[in-house]
Amino acid sequence: MASADEGPPAGPGPLPPADPRGPVRLGDDAVAVIAGDGTVIGWTRGAEALLGYAAAEMVGRSAALLLAGAPDTRRTAAIAARSREGSGWSGQISLRGRDDRLIDVDVRVSAAFLVAGREGFLVSGRERTPRWTVDGSVLEGFLTRSPVGMAVLDPELRYIWLNDTLEQFGGVPREQRLGRRPADVLPGLLAAPLERLMRQVLASGVPVTDYEYLGWSWSDPNRRRAYSSSFFPLADAEENRIGIGYMVLDVTDRWNARRLLALVNEAGASIGSTLDVQRTAQELADFAVPRFADFVFVDLLETPLELGRPGASPAPTAPGDWAAMRRMGMSSVRAGCPEAVVEIGESVDFVPPSRDLHFLATGSPYLLPLLDADDHTWAVDQPVRASRIKEFGLHSLISVPMRARDTVLGLATFMRSQNPVPFDEDDVAPARELVARAAVCVDNARRYTREHTAALVLQESLLPHTLRGGTALDVASSYLPADAKVGVGGDWFDVIPLSGARVGLVIGDVVGHGISAAATMGRLRTAVQTLADMDLAPDELLARLDDLVMRLSEEEPAGGKADRGGTTVLGATCLYAVYDPASRCCTMARAGHPPPVIVTPQGAVSFPDLPLGPPLGLGGLPFESLDVELPEGSLLGLYTDGLIEGPEKDVEQGKIRLGRAISREGLPLDELCEAVVKELLPVPQPDDIALLLARTHALRPDRVVSWEVPLDPAAVGSTRNKVARQLEAWGLDELTMTTELIVSELVTNAIRYASGPVRLRLLLQSVLTCEVSDASSTTPRLRHARTTDEGGRGLFLVAQLARRWGTRYTHRGKIIWAEQGLPSSPPPPVPTVGSPPVPPSPPGSSG
């Protein structure tokens, strides 16, 4: 809003660019946005209804095509010039519609603005309607009793006529106005910009509408008011300008509401950005300076006082009875806040006059329009503050108690010094709203800190901190508990690195919400990690997990613990999948859980027909697994039922929505995961949800090499030589010695103690893995050999050389594997070398 001593307000700021793809409903009038070169860049439904042209036909074409006659370049240039000056233009233009019908349109052109870096004009119009007439008495009554103040002034800006409303607005009798200029009757400097605008209108003939300004009148000299004025030239039959018409409307309530709304909206984006008490207090102070005050400080109680609750302390009646407050936020128009008596973080006992603390308990703001430092309350009780008040010219004050949910949190104080306008009653509402918004944020932060610490610690300990898919998978996840206040729930997921470059993916859902469900989830997640480390197949892992759930359920007393805040595991669901990047095969099984979603690199979406096993804890029913070959770059999505059920509880429709959302292209995996959840759950959900996305990678052929090993001890040496050459080709000479020893021991044991066929496989991924497979299902055993034993040290040696080792079983036998870490910067691998015949070497020692 322009102030009273400023010129006319500038044109509107940049407007959002119109969408050329179709009409936009802006109102009943025909509205278009026209660029400075005359090109149509925006077209509304109203324009389409008036002229018959659709947006697709007009956007990008010249607006001159709509004119009924030849373009008047001089008139067009004059209109554009006025609009560039910020005045705008209105008048009548004849246009030709699509049906070739001539249409007389009342047109209004806005001030120029920028649209996506281009100059633009907002042009609105409405078809002219036939005029109607009224008799003189009706017109006179309308003008006299209109709620809008009206006046007519001569070319010398002397009042000739005014209506009753304007007389009431100004508080100056009609007889004292007639024959005088506004400068003679309006208070202060209010008349100067008004007369400047009137002369401008008389000189140019272009009206000025809706000029808003702040001022005061003789009828209410103690309160600022907002007015909206419009000025237009008056002409005789020969178009000679014989005066000016003047209309004014009191828009104080509208201006105050708009200021309050704008202030609160801005505050919503600036205050409470974090759940940190001190940060929120500082954000309140920073926001209010200089928008609302010149010096602001926020003091919070070290121990918030809860009122109106059983056992709550009574409201204090004197400063000494009040708990200690601490300065938590402060801001000033002067650098360093020199007005302050205490610094941020220090204790403070500031309470405004009259030192009555009841206003803190009731929440009523305290307004002090005139702050007198010589008053006894300041000079005697707070001499240091009194001296700062004098030194920096602090002249007006509003103190607002900070309360939320029947809890007194502290006090926010606003003061003015450089701004000469004192606070008044109109300023109390904005101050109250600012503090109320900040108080809720402060209380939320305080409660969050107190109530969520335990829940967050539990959540951090139960859910994986990082997801490691290695080089086999890119993974991303999203987890949303139904109870946002507690912050944890019963849904869970995990990514478990397995031997042989494989990765296990698991997702589960525990019945219930909150901390008890999260505790149960933690027990199941730990169990799955332990079982996965045993390299169990997915169906066998679920069978073992089902047994565990049954035992846990049997441990609960009759009726379960859930009613008393305990845990329950009966009815939990789970899906477990193992992806092998060497074969691109994904083996999966589920226990009462929704099937995964698969998106191929070509965008095809499918939900594999995975056999549905029973939920965990029922027992006695088998689980079946399914092998699915995934092309490299496929997207595998594991989710809980809360993501697809939706408010209508239609699972099939939910799966369709999930497939459509997850198959979008062009988003990184993390952003895709977030976008899917946001699209499927636009509002708070009644159930916990978890989503785990994995993008598959295949192990490159040059990173895998395998050999058949004859059942002959002499083959150990040739196998060692093949391994050495392969490591040299991979640039891993540093690992040659240890790898040869590991291979020698594992191959020797397989030849000596197992049955064929025996096969050696090397995998180069984030680690170097040696695998020796045989047809035996005998479990190898690590033992300590005695000093007199000739053998028995093989697996012990492997355990010392490898980072980790283990055994997994297949339908053909078993695989013993050992992993070694890679050197810090190994050269990129080269194609696998062949294995030419080599002289036999002595076999390695037996295990």
Side-chain angles (χ1 to χ4, degrees):
M1 175 177 291
S3 61
D5 57 350
E6 293 175 341
L15 297 176
D19 187 353
R21 295 174 296 182
V24 180
R25 184 176 298 277
L26 297 178
D28 294 331
D29 286 357
V31 181
V33 180
I34 300 177
D37 59 359
T39 303
V40 176
I41 60 177
W43 193 256
T44 66
R45 296 189 188 277
E48 180 179 348
L50 178 65
L51 298 173
Y53 291 98
E57 297 176 288
M58 288 306 304
V59 172
R61 301 180 66 184
S62 173
L65 299 175
L66 302 172
L67 298 177
D72 187 343
T73 56
R74 294 183 59 186
R75 186 186 187 195
T76 302
I79 294 173
R82 298 205 59 80
S83 299
R84 291 187 178 102
E85 294 173 358
S87 301
W89 178 86
S90 60
Q92 181 180 345
I93 294 179
S94 294
L95 301 178
R96 188 179 300 276
R98 182 170 183 160
D99 56 359
D100 213 36
R101 179 171 60 95
L102 293 180
I103 306 171
D104 292 331
V105 181
D106 288 322
V107 175
R108 183 172 179 177
V109 182
S110 74
F113 57 90
L114 294 179
V115 180
R118 300 174 63 185
E119 180 187 51
F121 305 87
L122 187 68
V123 181
S124 62
R126 177 174 294 186
E127 185 175 4
R128 290 180 64 87
T129 56
R131 297 181 179 180
W132 56 277
T133 59
V134 295
D135 59 34
S137 61
V138 174
L139 184 60
E140 182 180 358
F142 165 73
L143 294 175
T144 303
R145 291 183 292 273
S146 170
V148 178
M150 301 180 185
V152 175
L153 292 81
D154 65 15
E156 301 300 324
L157 302 185
R158 292 187 293 260
Y159 285 100
I160 299 175
W161 173 89
L162 69 152
N163 67 354
D164 297 344
T165 305
L166 185 62
E167 183 179 14
Q168 295 169 5
F169 280 170
V172 178
R174 180 182 280 102
E175 57 274 12
Q176 295 184 20
R177 284 193 186 233
L178 297 177
R180 297 185 179 182
R181 292 172 41 199
D184 299 329
V185 296
L186 295 182
L189 301 176
L190 187 60
L194 300 182
E195 290 193 356
R196 184 168 66 249
L197 284 177
M198 293 178 188
R199 292 191 181 94
Q200 174 184 323
V201 170
L202 281 173
S204 64
V206 178
V208 172
T209 59
D210 200 23
Y211 170 66
E212 291 188 353
Y213 57 93
L214 287 175
W216 55 278
S217 67
W218 296 112
S219 62
D220 189 6
N222 297 319
R223 184 184 180 193
R224 287 183 306 164
R225 307 195 70 85
Y227 300 97
S228 173
S229 297
S230 298
F231 311 95
F232 51 93
L234 300 175
D236 57 17
E238 286 77 27
E239 294 298 326
N240 297 316
R241 295 170 191 154
I242 59 173
I244 188 167
Y246 167 36
M247 295 190 299
V248 60
L249 184 66
D250 188 330
V251 294
T252 303
D253 293 338
R254 183 182 77 184
W255 185 83
N256 286 335
R258 188 171 60 194
R259 182 181 67 151
L260 178 58
L261 180 61
L263 199 66
V264 172
N265 287 339
E266 289 183 53
S270 303
I271 301 174
S273 62
T274 65
L275 288 172
D276 180 85
V277 173
Q278 182 170 350
R279 177 93 176 260
T280 302
Q282 186 60 47
E283 286 173 347
L284 169 61
D286 291 338
F287 177 82
V289 175
R291 288 181 179 88
F292 185 71
D294 298 326
F295 177 46
V296 177
F297 52 89
V298 181
D299 302 328
L300 298 182
L301 289 164
E302 294 185 0
T303 303
L305 183 65
E306 297 183 355
L307 303 175
R309 302 182 185 181
S313 302
T317 57
D321 299 334
W322 193 256
M325 288 195 293
R326 192 169 296 275
R327 181 67 46 88
M328 300 298 287
M330 183 167 58
S331 184
S332 171
V333 293
R334 300 176 176 88
C337 299
E339 307 97 325
V341 176
V342 298
E343 299 297 326
I344 292 179
E346 296 180 356
S347 296
V348 61
D349 63 350
F350 172 76
V351 178
S354 59
R355 309 288 281 169
D356 183 0
L357 290 170
H358 279 94
F359 89 103
L360 288 170
T362 60
S364 301
Y366 182 84
L367 169 65
L368 192 62
L370 179 60
L371 203 163
D372 184 7
D374 294 326
D375 183 87
H376 179 273
T377 304
W378 297 101
V380 177
D381 295 344
Q382 303 184 54
V384 177
R385 288 191 174 88
S387 64
R388 299 292 173 88
I389 290 172
K390 290 183 177 180
E391 180 180 358
F392 297 102
L394 300 170
H395 61 81
S396 190
L397 172 148
I398 297 179
S399 283
V400 183
M402 185 172 286
R403 292 167 46 95
R405 303 180 183 96
D406 293 326
T407 301
V408 180
L409 303 173
L411 182 69
T413 301
F414 307 86
M415 306 181 79
R416 282 182 177 170
S417 57
Q418 293 184 1
N419 186 344
V421 180
F423 288 121
D424 57 24
E425 291 293 340
D426 291 336
D427 296 311
V428 172
R432 181 192 285 114
E433 288 297 326
L434 286 179
V435 175
R437 178 174 291 273
V440 172
C441 296
V442 167
D443 191 53
N444 287 342
R446 181 180 66 87
R447 289 170 178 264
Y448 176 84
T449 302
R450 183 186 65 192
E451 298 176 5
H452 284 62
T453 300
L456 289 178
V457 170
L458 176 63
Q459 183 182 29
E460 290 176 1
S461 64
L462 297 181
L463 291 177
H465 293 179
T466 57
L467 298 177
R468 296 181 298 153
T471 56
L473 295 173
D474 295 330
V475 291
S477 65
S478 181
Y479 171 75
L480 287 178
D483 189 349
K485 178 180 179 181
V486 176
V488 292
D491 290 4
W492 56 286
F493 55 87
D494 210 346
V495 179
I496 307 171
L498 303 175
S499 63
R502 300 169 307 132
V503 178
L505 300 171
V506 61
I507 192 163
D509 187 353
V510 174
V511 177
H513 312 296
I515 294 179
S516 62
T520 302
M521 170 265 286
R523 301 169 77 179
L524 294 183
R525 177 172 176 256
T526 302
V528 170
Q529 288 180 328
T530 302
L531 295 172
D533 196 49
M534 298 169 62
D535 271 319
L536 298 177
D539 53 346
E540 184 178 354
L541 182 143
L542 291 181
R544 301 270 188 102
L545 189 62
D546 183 54
D547 293 339
L548 173 64
V549 170
M550 290 184 63
R551 289 198 302 272
L552 292 176
S553 299
E554 292 171 356
E555 295 174 0
E556 297 180 359
K561 298 180 183 178
D563 294 339
R564 300 191 301 273
T567 63
T568 180
V569 291
L570 194 64
T573 66
C574 183
L575 186 150
Y576 182 62
V578 175
Y579 174 69
D580 187 348
S583 63
R584 295 183 286 105
C585 177
C586 184
T587 304
M588 57 188 75
R590 58 176 174 149
H593 203 82
V597 56
I598 297 175
V599 182
T600 66
Q602 293 75 31
V605 179
S606 64
F607 292 84
D609 189 15
L610 181 60
L612 176 61
L616 299 174
L618 298 185
L621 297 174
F623 298 95
E624 299 180 45
S625 62
L626 177 70
D627 292 339
V628 179
E629 185 175 338
L630 300 177
E632 183 172 11
S634 297
L635 183 64
L636 179 64
L638 280 64
Y639 54 92
T640 54
D641 55 6
L643 189 64
I644 60 172
E645 285 184 345
E648 71 281 357
K649 299 296 182 181
D650 190 336
V651 174
E652 291 304 318
Q653 287 297 320
K655 290 167 65 175
I656 294 174
R657 290 195 300 268
L658 173 61
R660 184 169 55 246
I662 207 171
S663 60
R664 69 179 68 183
E665 299 179 353
L667 288 179
L669 206 57
D670 288 337
E671 296 182 15
L672 176 62
C673 194
E674 181 180 350
V676 168
V677 173
K678 185 178 296 185
E679 178 177 337
L680 297 183
L681 300 172
V683 296
Q685 73 283 0
D687 193 9
D688 305 327
I689 71 102
L691 174 63
L692 179 62
L693 298 183
R695 182 87 64 187
T696 64
H697 299 288
L699 198 61
R700 286 164 37 188
D702 63 314
R703 290 177 178 261
V704 184
V705 61
S706 62
W707 300 276
E708 293 283 350
V709 180
L711 293 177
D712 182 359
V716 176
S718 61
T719 302
R720 254 199 333 257
N721 291 339
K722 294 175 185 178
V723 169
R725 287 198 301 272
Q726 185 60 54
L727 293 181
E728 181 182 0
W730 277 342
L732 298 175
D733 303 82
E734 297 179 33
L735 301 180
T736 300
M737 179 178 296
T738 56
T739 306
E740 284 185 339
L741 288 173
I742 292 174
V743 169
S744 179
E745 297 300 335
L746 296 182
V747 170
T748 299
N749 284 348
I751 294 174
R752 177 170 297 180
Y753 300 110
S755 58
V758 175
R759 189 170 189 83
L760 168 67
R761 187 170 73 157
L762 297 181
L763 299 95
L764 177 60
Q765 201 190 29
S766 56
V767 294
L768 176 64
T769 305
C770 303
E771 294 183 348
V772 176
S773 60
D774 57 56
S776 171
S777 58
T778 304
T779 303
R781 183 169 59 90
L782 179 67
R783 63 188 180 90
H784 291 277
R786 294 172 297 183
T787 56
T788 57
D789 290 343
E790 295 183 2
R793 300 176 179 84
L795 289 181
F796 181 79
L797 181 60
V798 170
Q800 299 301 311
L801 296 176
R803 188 171 70 173
R804 64 178 190 141
W805 72 281
T807 305
R808 70 175 183 269
Y809 295 90
T810 67
H811 60 280
R812 295 196 184 102
K814 69 176 183 297
I815 297 174
I816 304 178
W817 54 270
E819 292 180 355
Q820 299 178 81
L822 301 181
S824 56
S825 300
V830 297
T832 305
V833 300
S835 52
V838 293
S841 300
S845 59
S846 60

